[in-house]
Amino acid sequence: MLFAVEKLESEICKLRGLLRMLHEDQPDVLEDVFEFHVGSLISHASPENHDHIRACAHEMLVAIQALPRHADEEAQDFSLMPGIVARPS
């Protein structure tokens, strides 16, 4: 199924937001996620749009990677329930 231009633009905006979050929190997976999503976008676009999508996506990736990172990896706490200590059964 091919996406309409408006749907492709919407998906690209979502990808931009996802890449910004990954740039901050998980830069090690940024490029893999990028490649997966761009491949998905291309598979839902007509062949004459593939080169344009790739070029725009690459520009977006470069711009996002150039942004400064603000995440403080030392201060991050990913505990779901930090106040509860695991108790043996």
Side-chain angles (χ1 to χ4, degrees), residues 10 12 14-15 23 32-33 35 39 42-44 46 61 63 67 70-71 80 88:
S10 172
I12 289 170
K14 290 178 193 175
L15 176 59
H23 175 67
D32 292 335
V33 171
E35 291 297 330
I42 288 172
S43 72
H44 289 92
S46 60
L61 177 65
L67 295 172
H70 302 290
L80 295 177

Side-chain angles (χ1 to χ4, degrees), residues 12 15-16 18-20 22 26-42 52-65:
I12 289 170
L15 176 59
R16 183 180 299 117
L18 174 62
L19 293 178
R20 285 182 180 163
L22 290 174
Q26 295 177 304
D28 55 323
V29 299
L30 177 73
E31 290 187 32
D32 292 335
V33 171
F34 170 80
E35 291 297 330
F36 173 80
H37 284 284
V38 170
S40 178
L41 287 173
I42 288 172
H52 179 70
I53 291 170
R54 281 190 186 99
C56 290
H58 180 71
E59 287 177 23
M60 180 175 54
L61 177 65
V62 169
I64 289 171
Q65 288 177 322

